Amino acid sequence: MCTLLRDFQAEAKQAMLVGDSDVDVQTARNAGTWACGVTYGLGSKGLAACPPDLLLDSLTELPGYLDLERAACRQ
């Protein structure tokens, strides 16, 4: 994750890792990025032990949350 941030010259607060397991959430935490979990996938049962910042049933829901975040930042 840190390599991607460096390669894209992005700050951790500008990035989000989307995954289906506690390992994905922990990777996001270690990099200082947002963690988005999805309820489908092989590791989704482990998300209860390591909850993400955002939990979605479908990635089609994500743009709505990003729009809300942008609106909150403008206030």
Side-chain angles (χ1 to χ4, degrees), residues 44-62:
S44 60
K45 302 262 190 272
L47 292 176
C50 193
D53 299 307
L54 180 62
L55 184 61
L56 304 176
D57 292 322
S58 171
L59 279 180
T60 61
E61 300 172 46
L62 185 57

Side-chain angles (χ1 to χ4, degrees), residues 24-48:
D24 297 325
V25 173
Q26 195 57 50
T27 299
R29 299 278 184 255
N30 290 343
T33 66
W34 291 91
C36 176
V38 294
T39 58
Y40 53 90
L42 297 175
S44 60
K45 302 262 190 272
L47 292 176

Side-chain angles (χ1 to χ4, degrees), residues 5 7 16 19 21-22 36 38 48 51 55 59 62 69-70 73:
L5 292 171
D7 289 352
M16 176 185 287
S21 73
D22 57 331
C36 176
V38 294
L55 184 61
L59 279 180
L62 185 57
E69 182 64 28
R70 280 189 210 111
C73 288

